Amino acid sequence: MDIQKKTIPVKGMTCASCAATIEKLIKKMPGVKDVSVNFATEKMTVEFSPDAVSLGEMNEIIKKFGYEADISLGKEDFGKLPSADKKIISECPAPLRQPSGAAEQEKQSQLRAQRNRVLFVMPVAVIVFALMMWEIAAAANNKITPFLIPHGIYSSVLLIISTIILFWIGQPFLKGIINFIRYGAANMDTLVGIGTLSAYTYSAVIVLFPSVKSILALPDVHYFDVTVVVIGFIYLGKYLESRSKLKTADAIEKLLNLQAKTAIVIRNGKEQEVAVTELFAGDIIMVRPGGKIPVDGVIVEGVTAIDESMLTGESIPADKTKSDKVFSGTINKYGSFKFKATKIGQETLLAQIIKMVEEAQGSRAPIQRLADKISAVFVPVVLGIAVAALIVWLALGSRFMPLNQAFRFGLLSFVGVLVIACPCALGLATPTAIIVGVGKGAQNGILIKNAESLEKLHKISTLVIDKTGTITKGKPEVTDYLEADGGQIKNNTGDTANENNLRILASLEKNSEHPVAQAIVEKAMNRGLKTGKIDNFRNFEGMGIKGDFKGITYYAGNANLMDELKIPYSRTIIEKLASQGKTPVFFSNEKSLLAIVAVADKLKENSPAAIEKLHRLGIKTVMLSGDNVNTAEYIAGLAGVDKVFAQVLPQDKAEKIKELQRQGERVAMAGDGINDAPALASADVGIAMGTGADAAIESADITLLAGDISKIPQAIMLSRKTMRTIRQNLFWAFIYNIIGIPLAAGVFYPLWGILLNPVFAGLAMALSSVSVVSNSLRLKFTKL
């Protein structure tokens, strides 16, 4: 059975209970394998069989409950859909068929509409709140000036104001009641709607039908002010929450803004400006100074420096020349150049980054599971508590106070419980922190595959690091050039080495494809030496090479070749070089040794500092290497690594990871090669160096785009700070509801005479969600 995975925006969610309701509805549908709804990102990720169920059918189900899915797709995806979905999408209203950019504009439009309503309701709510406090204070303290507005006039004015606010500004809350009656689905809007409508209805009956008040001996007290102020405060909270949620996702917006809209392509020998969507792989593209690189490719002409900070987090432009790779979204700083497009559209690195960040921001961390379970049953439980509070006040309270007073307290408790309970704070606690944390990582060249990886990383106790390409540069370089005279080392001349010998050696090595040979040729080229023609070139398998230069035969190779030629050399020097992880290359003629060149895979300059930071974070470090023990221990000593596994075969790397895990360690593995992929997959968290193989990156949970080892401690710090923020959010969300609901229900009234006015309950509820989102936003400004 063919299974598709789609991520779809969903409109109409107002709290975490909405997300739980949608999940419950979709999971019941045949053909749905899994579904996850994220309230913070307002998106649904669903795995389903298109043969059994369509996206359109899912949308029809949730529309009955007041939600709507944006099932618009690109041409490629549209073509793959079953005919049922094509028909539904075609019949969708225009806003639902717009691209993601339009969806963002729609959110901004909705935010502006919310803002306009807040600007209307809040001045009214503040004035009514002030008058309410004056009335309460004057009744409690005779030193305060009595309330001057006649009760009848004040009641009539508030009836009109509260009617306008409840049935205009409070429409979403009333719709929540209607959905609850029709479908049995309740959310935060349902709670607020029932609470404010109850206060309004009671007050309207008291004011409009005085005889009812007299017959039931009800006190001459109304709660129009509660309706006005609660709706005002909660609507303000919803507006601030929506605005903050948009800010949490600005990392994606910044990445999208990096994309170039047009490109200068050379076709039929002429330059022409075209939209990026019209480019093809193989196109030759011209980029001028200051221009954005539109797609991924390889430079074919020109030299330049490119700002790749969007990938690496490094502000210094990277020098580029012919055959170097360039990436979409980076900025050309200096020279003009031409490059050949190799990856376009969704294949570019930038597009892959955006996709990975979006998926990670929408994923769930294991720590969120408890909050999700509570959110799923939160609203029905709170409704039950509110009704129970009213019944208890009437049944027990009437024994200790007049019935009309017990009813008044019961009504206040009923409204207060409904208004103060907030599943939103619980629902936003984890995803908002994940969204900001993942976005912060992307801005620093740290790509996190999912929320679970981010959570696991903060628990890591041991980091296993592959040597080649992770701790070291992954490319052999000449480290020493030792002149020789009759087999004895004459001096270490470094950059003042005999240029003629180096030129001949490079000429000889140019005929070899061995990485060590390439390092020697590169050394000569960097010195400005031109290689010459070699005649009679020959390769000695496992030993070295030979060739004639201007009629003289020269040899380059290892100690075995020198032994074969019976050319003497200093074994002490060779042992010393070997102990330092360096490979000696002997250069000789037919009679004597001319020079020894030492080649090694050098340590990255920032490796020791990165290892030191890891130690400060309490992380043990282990290095894996296929090299001999001497070489591996020498490199580990330079870097400051705690433990070394040397002479480890590629197929044994994963077993070393499992060995550490059996010892109780939580292991992260950092590597860059294809042979690292099994070990990366076996580790609790796999970290791929972005400069490495695609297989390693695919197997990893976290990718460091610049291949910079110093990003590893930054990633761990980001994980720890994100998890700390999540715990803070969850703590306050739980504490707020644990204390707030009993307080509103009147549990503390018999002990200390405390009963929370629904107005303050509404204010507290509004602030709870805003405080959680604001705490998450602090991550944006944290230093890694």
Side-chain angles (χ1 to χ4, degrees):
M1 185 169 63
D2 180 36
I3 297 293
Q4 290 187 7
K5 184 177 181 180
K6 297 290 180 186
T7 299
I8 311 159
V10 178
K11 298 195 300 183
M13 290 191 290
T14 58
C15 68
S17 293
C18 297
T21 298
I22 295 171
E23 283 187 359
K24 193 181 296 182
L25 291 169
I26 300 299
K27 277 180 180 176
K28 289 179 181 177
M29 299 184 74
V32 174
K33 181 183 178 184
D34 191 29
V35 62
S36 173
V37 181
N38 191 311
F39 170 52
T41 60
E42 298 180 8
K43 289 183 180 179
M44 171 177 72
T45 300
V46 59
E47 293 182 48
F48 67 103
S49 169
D51 298 326
V53 65
S54 71
L55 294 174
E57 288 169 336
M58 296 180 205
N59 190 34
E60 290 301 312
I61 289 292
I62 64 173
K63 277 175 74 174
K64 294 177 182 178
F65 293 80
Y67 313 111
E68 200 158 22
D70 180 355
I71 53 177
S72 60
L73 297 164
K75 292 180 182 177
E76 184 181 344
D77 284 333
F78 187 85
K80 296 177 183 176
L81 287 177
S83 56
D85 272 350
K86 290 180 183 177
K87 183 176 183 294
I88 290 171
I89 292 173
S90 301
E91 294 172 353
C92 276
L96 283 183
R97 292 187 278 109
Q98 292 175 345
S100 57
E104 197 66 27
Q105 290 176 7
E106 187 179 352
K107 283 186 180 181
Q108 293 288 354
S109 176
Q110 290 172 351
L111 193 65
R112 284 192 294 271
Q114 275 187 305
R115 179 175 176 272
N116 292 336
R117 293 191 174 197
V118 166
L119 290 176
F120 171 82
V121 72
M122 278 313 295
V124 177
V126 169
I127 291 169
V128 171
F129 179 70
L131 292 173
M132 182 187 75
M133 296 306 296
W134 180 12
E135 189 175 20
I136 292 172
N141 191 337
N142 55 18
K143 293 182 180 179
I144 295 174
T145 304
F147 193 66
L148 300 177
I149 304 173
H151 183 73
I153 295 174
Y154 185 52
S155 300
S156 300
V157 171
L158 279 185
L159 171 62
I160 296 168
I161 292 173
S162 61
T163 301
I164 294 170
I165 287 177
L166 177 63
F167 293 98
W168 178 41
I169 304 295
Q171 275 183 18
F173 309 126
L174 299 179
K175 284 180 182 176
I177 301 175
I178 294 169
N179 286 337
F180 178 56
I181 294 170
R182 288 178 65 185
Y183 306 114
N187 58 18
M188 186 199 77
D189 288 350
T190 309
L191 299 180
V192 176
I194 292 173
T196 52
L197 185 62
S198 300
Y200 172 85
T201 303
Y202 171 80
S203 304
V205 169
I206 293 295
V207 172
L208 296 176
F209 306 101
S211 57
V212 174
K213 178 186 67 176
S214 301
I215 293 170
L216 298 176
L218 297 173
D220 193 14
V221 179
H222 61 75
Y223 298 109
F224 292 126
D225 46 12
V226 169
T227 302
V228 172
V229 177
V230 165
I231 289 176
F233 283 160
I234 290 176
Y235 210 87
L236 173 65
K238 287 170 75 74
Y239 166 70
L240 294 175
E241 178 190 314
S242 298
R243 193 176 70 171
S244 298
K245 278 164 66 180
L246 278 177
K247 287 182 181 179
T248 61
D250 65 357
I252 288 287
E253 187 179 347
K254 287 177 181 177
L255 288 171
L256 288 170
N257 290 337
L258 290 171
Q259 295 175 318
K261 304 294 186 291
T262 61
I264 299 171
V265 64
I266 300 172
R267 290 176 181 162
N268 300 320
K270 294 181 180 179
E271 293 182 6
Q272 53 182 293
E273 188 170 0
V274 300
V276 172
T277 52
E278 296 176 21
L279 292 175
F280 297 93
D283 275 339
I284 302 299
I285 299 164
M286 165 69 77
V287 183
R288 296 193 172 94
K292 281 185 180 178
I293 294 165
V295 293
D296 293 0
V298 177
I299 294 177
V300 294
E301 183 183 315
V303 177
T304 186
I306 295 178
D307 179 1
E308 295 185 334
S309 57
M310 54 77 68
L311 293 179
T312 65
E314 299 295 333
S315 58
I316 300 172
D319 293 330
K320 300 280 183 176
T321 188
K322 187 177 178 180
S323 300
D324 284 340
K325 291 181 180 179
V326 293
F327 301 99
S328 168
T330 56
I331 300 171
N332 183 30
K333 300 296 287 184
Y334 303 120
S336 296
F337 69 94
K338 296 176 184 178
F339 75 96
K340 181 179 180 180
T342 56
K343 293 182 179 180
I344 60 172
Q346 295 304 307
E347 295 177 348
T348 65
L349 180 60
L350 178 59
Q352 293 297 315
I353 290 171
I354 291 171
K355 182 183 177 184
M356 183 181 271
V357 172
E358 281 183 329
E359 288 179 352
Q361 289 184 337
S363 63
R364 288 182 177 173
I367 197 172
Q368 189 179 341
R369 288 172 189 156
L370 178 60
D372 285 343
K373 288 178 180 178
I374 293 173
S375 296
V377 298
F378 188 89
V379 173
V381 169
V382 168
L383 275 170
I385 292 172
V387 172
L390 176 60
I391 292 172
V392 168
W393 272 108
L394 289 174
L396 298 181
S398 58
R399 295 183 182 183
F400 305 98
M401 61 182 69
L403 179 62
N404 60 358
Q405 187 180 358
F407 175 75
R408 185 162 65 90
F409 283 2
L411 182 63
L412 286 174
S413 295
F414 176 76
V415 175
V417 168
L418 293 177
V419 169
I420 201 169
C422 183
C424 295
L426 281 172
L428 291 169
T430 301
T432 52
I434 293 294
I435 289 169
V436 179
V438 169
K440 179 76 174 178
Q443 290 169 357
N444 285 274
I446 303 166
L447 281 189
I448 298 158
K449 187 174 282 187
N450 51 49
E452 185 175 359
S453 303
L454 189 64
E455 179 175 340
K456 283 182 177 179
L457 188 60
H458 91 285
K459 299 177 181 177
I460 291 303
S461 60
T462 297
L463 175 69
V464 176
I465 318 164
D466 178 58
K467 179 184 79 72
T468 305
T470 306
I471 288 182
T472 63
K473 294 180 179 180
K475 180 183 177 183
E477 294 181 13
V478 173
T479 59
D480 303 90
Y481 186 93
L482 310 176
E483 294 285 337
D485 183 11
Q488 299 300 312
I489 298 301
K490 187 176 180 182
N491 61 347
N492 185 347
T493 53
D495 284 340
T496 63
N498 185 313
E499 291 192 348
N500 188 52
N501 279 344
L502 182 56
R503 186 166 74 92
I504 297 169
L505 174 59
S507 301
L508 189 59
E509 294 285 14
K510 192 174 182 181
N511 293 275
S512 172
E513 295 181 356
H514 196 282
V516 170
Q518 292 171 16
I520 293 171
V521 173
E522 189 174 319
K523 175 71 173 178
M525 290 177 66
N526 291 341
R527 293 281 301 278
L529 302 178
K530 292 183 178 180
T531 55
K533 183 184 177 185
I534 295 292
D535 297 316
N536 303 317
F537 178 82
R538 183 184 171 189
N539 180 54
F540 299 102
E541 188 70 32
M543 291 195 294
I545 56 178
K546 70 167 262 190
D548 297 343
F549 182 81
K550 293 183 179 181
I552 302 174
T553 301
Y554 294 94
Y555 296 86
N558 58 25
N560 292 334
L561 180 60
M562 294 298 103
D563 292 338
E564 185 76 18
L565 296 171
K566 295 183 170 51
I567 292 176
Y569 57 90
S570 171
R571 295 190 180 275
T572 305
I573 293 294
I574 303 313
E575 289 171 1
K576 182 180 178 183
L577 291 174
S579 70
Q580 296 174 355
K582 299 172 182 178
T583 300
V585 176
F586 297 87
F587 177 53
S588 74
N589 55 29
E590 292 181 298
K591 296 180 180 179
S592 62
L593 183 66
L594 300 175
I596 300 173
V597 178
V599 177
D601 182 8
K602 283 187 177 179
L603 196 70
K604 287 181 180 178
E605 289 82 358
N606 56 1
S607 289
I611 299 298
E612 186 182 346
K613 285 181 182 177
L614 288 166
H615 288 157
R616 287 205 297 266
L617 292 171
I619 307 293
K620 289 174 278 189
T621 52
V622 177
M623 189 181 84
L624 285 183
S625 175
D627 290 332
N628 62 63
V629 175
N630 288 338
T631 300
E633 289 186 346
Y634 178 75
I635 294 294
L638 290 178
V641 173
D642 299 318
K643 189 175 182 180
V644 178
F645 289 128
Q647 295 175 309
V648 179
L649 296 174
Q651 61 268 31
D652 296 333
K653 289 183 177 182
E655 184 54 40
K656 291 294 182 185
I657 298 292
K658 293 173 183 175
E659 182 182 320
L660 289 167
Q661 290 170 329
R662 286 193 291 269
Q663 294 170 11
E665 301 290 344
R666 293 180 183 267
V667 182
M669 165 74 186
D672 73 329
I674 292 175
N675 57 26
D676 293 326
L680 290 170
S682 297
D684 295 288
V685 179
I687 303 172
M689 313 307 281
T691 51
D694 289 344
I697 294 171
E698 281 295 317
S699 302
D701 303 298
I702 293 170
T703 301
L704 309 180
L705 286 175
D708 184 354
I709 191 173
S710 66
K711 300 287 184 186
I712 297 177
Q714 288 185 357
I716 293 171
M717 282 295 296
L718 176 64
S719 172
R720 291 183 178 181
K721 289 184 176 183
T722 302
M723 294 310 301
R724 187 183 307 136
T725 301
I726 289 172
R727 289 194 185 95
Q728 290 169 352
N729 287 348
L730 288 173
F731 172 80
W732 289 113
F734 278 117
I735 288 296
Y736 162 82
N737 283 292
I738 288 169
I739 295 176
I741 292 174
L743 183 63
V747 171
F748 302 120
Y749 187 83
L751 299 174
W752 301 294
I754 300 172
L755 183 63
L756 191 66
N757 189 299
V759 167
F760 296 105
L763 177 62
M765 185 267 204
L767 291 176
S768 65
S769 297
V770 177
S771 63
V772 164
V773 178
S774 299
N775 190 44
S776 295
L777 284 171
R778 290 191 309 114
L779 275 171
K780 290 173 67 175
F781 309 104
T782 191
K783 288 185 179 181
L784 299 180

